[in-house]
Amino acid sequence: MTTMYWTQLDSPVGKLLLTADAGGALASLSVPGQKGGRSVQSAEAEGWRYDAGPFRAAADQLAAYFAAELKEFQLPLSPHGTEFRQRVWAALDEVPYGATVTYGEIAARIGASRAAVRAVGGAIGANPLLIVRPCHRVIGADGSMTGYAGGVERKARLLTLEGALAG
């Protein structure tokens, strides 16, 4: 069985649950009530070990992000997903701090057809690394705050922090 670690951090958007693989690469970052997110109970049930040690860099970078001092995370990541999801998630990494894009723009960036926008939305919704992998920067074609696994209120708070949304 592979060793996995977890810890929790306080943040302006609620408690964050972080998981990492045996090498310390960040596997997930979840918030309370997140659609499809992890929970402390699931981490414990899966036999993961509580250990804040592997998360020092993530904790420091998240604190700097919430203080508006960090615009780009530099962390080893190990999210699990299909090849299609990995392409979509990589496209999210290219959306700069303070900017927004549409689902259609992400589809175009990965070379997906217009008909694939729903699949792109599904991949974005399955992003296991909220905040670090900025799915909150994806908005509807009409500029609306469409879906966010962590809740639209959190999405708005993150975009306001980044200056992409008037506070």
Side-chain angles (χ1 to χ4, degrees):
M1 185 160 104
T2 306
T3 302
M4 292 290 285
Y5 299 99
W6 68 274
T7 196
Q8 284 188 304
L9 302 172
D10 289 320
S11 84
V13 295
K15 278 223 183 276
L16 306 178
L17 174 66
L18 289 78
T19 65
D21 64 19
L26 197 60
S28 71
L29 189 159
S30 302
V31 295
Q34 176 183 331
K35 181 182 172 190
R38 296 204 177 270
S39 68
V40 171
Q41 293 77 19
S42 68
E44 290 173 341
E46 293 180 43
W48 295 1
R49 291 183 35 205
Y50 173 81
D51 184 351
F55 303 98
R56 285 190 185 98
D60 290 346
Q61 289 185 36
L62 284 161
Y65 169 80
F66 285 117
E69 298 167 354
L70 180 83
K71 296 185 190 294
E72 187 175 325
F73 291 94
Q74 299 293 324
L75 297 167
L77 306 176
S78 68
H80 297 287
T82 64
E83 188 267 330
F84 178 78
R85 285 183 174 181
Q86 295 285 351
R87 285 188 5 239
V88 171
W89 298 341
L92 291 175
D93 291 339
E94 303 301 317
V95 182
Y97 181 96
T100 58
V101 297
T102 66
Y103 293 89
E105 288 169 332
I106 292 291
R109 288 181 185 197
I110 66 164
S113 71
R114 185 80 185 129
V117 170
R118 271 186 187 240
V120 167
I124 291 169
N127 171 24
L129 291 162
L130 295 191
I131 304 167
V132 171
R133 184 155 271 157
C135 54
H136 59 276
R137 296 179 188 154
V138 183
I139 60 173
D142 62 358
S144 63
M145 291 282 137
T146 58
Y148 181 61
V152 175
E153 180 182 302
R154 279 192 187 98
K155 179 177 192 161
R157 289 185 70 188
L158 294 169
L159 290 174
T160 300
L161 170 76
E162 294 183 8
L165 190 65

